[in-house]
Amino acid sequence: MTIIVDPDGPELVNIASNPVPEGVRAGYFSTSDKVRLRYAIWPKGQGAPRGTICLVQGRAEFIEKYFETVADFRKRGFAVATFDWRGQGGSDRLIGNKSLGYVDRFEDYWTDLKSFYGQIVLPDCPGPYYLVGHSMGGLACLNAGTRDRMMFERMFLSAPMLALDRQPLGMTGMARVTETLSFLGLGQVPVRRRADKPASDLTFPGNPLTSDMVRYMRMVDVLKAQPGLETGSPTIRWAAAAFGAMAEAGRDDFPGRIKIPVLMLAAARDEVVSTAAIERLGLRMRTGHHLMVGGARHELFMENDAIRGQVLAAFDAFITDLTV
C-alpha cells in the first residue's frame, strides 16, 4: 500500500513493517539546476519544540528507510525534513539506465542541499536547524560545513564516507583514474563487484550493513513494494566524483575549513567506509570530534536496539540536551 500525499505529488511506501509516521507532508521541488527531488517533512511530536533535523541519506538510500529514525527525532520535540538526493530514491534519475547510481560532480549534492534548505526548510520548518547525515550524506554535510557556517547550528554524522579502504591508489589516485575513464566516455559504465547481490533473507548473514535482521528485511520489503526506489551499482562517473570529494576531505587544510560544531560516529566493524579516516579527521578538527561505536556495522541508524541506543544517546548529548 502507498500513501499519495497530493494528486500531483510523490508516493511514500507504507507497509505494515515500516509505516509512514503520521503528519507527513511530501512533495517535489526543483533545484537551482532544474533537477526534481522528492522531499518529506514532519512536524514535531511530543515535548517542547526544539527546531528541525535536516536528515540526509547515504548512497542509494531513500526517505522510507528512515521512518523509524524520523519517529525517534520527533519524540524528542524536533520537526524533521528530508529528501532523496538526485539520482536515487524517488528523485530524478540522471541517465538512461535508471538503476545505476550517477552524479556529474560531488558539488551537485551541495546544490541539492542548498536548494532544499532555501525552498523547503527555511519557509516551512521551525528553527534552529541541525544537519544529520549518513555515509555519503555525511561527506556532503562536511562539504556544506566548509561552505556556509550559518545554515545549520550543528552536524551529527553517522559513519561519514571520508575514505574507502583497500583502494590500490588511495583516494587521490583513484580519483585520477576514474576521471580519466570518464573523460574517455566510460562515465556511465557500472562499477560492479562479484559480491554484489540484491538484498534478501539469503544475503543477511555476513552482510556489512547491520546485525539486525528485522531492520534489514524491512528495507527488502520496501523495495519489493516499490522497486523503483532501488539504486544499484554506482557508475564510474559517480566514483570519480566521490573519490575526488574524499581526496579533498583528506587534505591538510580541510579540518580547519569546517566552521560548524560536528560529532562523527564511527562503526567499529565498518566494512563500507574507512573508520581510520573518521578517526584521523576527528582528531584534527577544531570544531568537532568523533566517537567509536563498539560492535557496530556501517548503518548505525539501522543497527540493533543496543547499538541504536548508543547512537541516540550520543545525539541527545550533542544536540537534544543543548536545546532545552
Side-chain angles (χ1 to χ4, degrees):
M1 183 177 76
T2 59
I3 291 178
I4 301 176
V5 179
D6 66 68
D8 300 316
E11 296 181 350
L12 295 178
V13 177
N14 187 39
I15 57 176
S17 61
N18 193 55
V20 180
E22 64 180 10
V24 66
R25 193 187 98 198
Y28 295 111
F29 70 98
S30 292
T31 64
S32 57
D33 59 346
K34 309 304 181 186
V35 178
R36 190 180 75 160
L37 306 185
R38 184 180 70 149
Y39 78 91
I41 59 177
W42 284 266
K44 77 173 190 69
Q46 299 176 352
R50 299 181 185 275
T52 298
I53 300 298
C54 185
L55 176 61
V56 298
Q57 314 154 7
R59 192 196 82 82
E61 295 187 323
F62 41 86
I63 291 169
E64 287 84 350
K65 190 167 182 175
Y66 285 89
F67 284 168
E68 182 182 19
T69 303
V70 166
D72 290 328
F73 291 150
R74 294 182 69 220
K75 290 175 185 175
R76 289 162 166 77
F78 294 99
V80 180
T82 187
F83 67 95
D84 291 335
W85 296 113
R86 65 180 64 202
Q88 64 187 56
S91 293
D92 279 353
R93 303 300 174 105
L94 306 175
I95 58 175
N97 187 340
K98 299 182 185 300
S99 69
L100 299 179
Y102 182 92
V103 72
D104 287 323
R105 307 172 306 150
F106 203 84
E107 289 77 10
D108 291 343
Y109 294 132
W110 165 242
T111 300
D112 292 352
L113 180 60
K114 183 170 56 173
S115 297
F116 181 60
Y117 181 84
Q119 294 183 45
I120 306 299
V121 176
L122 273 180
D124 297 331
C125 301
Y129 306 116
Y130 303 93
L131 188 56
V132 175
H134 172 65
S135 195
M136 184 200 81
L139 180 57
C141 290
L142 290 169
N143 183 31
T146 68
R147 295 169 180 262
D148 194 321
R149 167 65 183 88
M150 304 306 293
M151 288 171 67
F152 299 100
E153 296 291 321
R154 291 188 165 214
M155 294 194 298
F156 181 84
L157 309 181
S158 158
M161 188 185 73
L162 300 180
L164 304 181
D165 292 328
R166 298 178 295 278
Q167 300 301 311
L169 301 175
M171 299 304 99
T172 300
M174 294 302 295
R176 290 171 179 162
V177 168
T178 48
E179 283 287 354
T180 300
L181 293 173
S182 294
F183 178 77
L184 295 174
L186 301 177
Q188 296 187 23
V189 172
V191 179
R192 292 196 171 101
R193 302 174 303 171
R194 290 183 180 179
D196 289 340
K197 297 178 181 178
S200 70
D201 57 338
L202 299 177
T203 60
F204 174 75
N207 84 85
L209 303 179
T210 175
S211 63
D212 192 288
M213 187 170 187
V214 172
R215 292 185 172 99
Y216 184 88
M217 290 305 300
R218 188 170 61 195
M219 293 306 98
V220 172
D221 292 342
V222 169
L223 292 175
K224 284 182 180 178
Q226 180 49 269
L229 292 177
E230 187 167 15
T231 305
S233 299
T235 56
I236 288 175
R237 181 64 243 157
W238 183 92
F243 279 126
M246 288 185 281
E248 181 68 18
R251 289 171 55 94
D252 289 341
D253 66 341
F254 186 78
R257 288 157 49 197
I258 302 170
K259 307 300 183 182
I260 301 174
V262 180
L263 175 59
M264 301 184 297
L265 300 190
R269 297 181 59 193
D270 205 323
E271 298 177 13
V272 178
V273 304
S274 172
T275 296
I278 298 171
E279 292 181 293
R280 286 194 297 269
L281 180 60
L283 293 171
R284 295 168 58 209
M285 277 194 299
R286 299 174 183 174
T287 59
H289 59 287
H290 73 283
L291 293 174
M292 184 71 66
V293 183
R297 301 183 198 181
H298 179 62
E299 294 191 351
L300 290 164
F301 286 116
M302 310 300 159
E303 262 287 8
N304 63 59
D305 288 345
I307 291 173
R308 286 188 89 252
Q310 296 177 56
V311 172
L312 293 171
F315 172 85
D316 288 337
F318 187 65
I319 293 180
T320 307
D321 293 347
L322 297 180
T323 64
V324 177

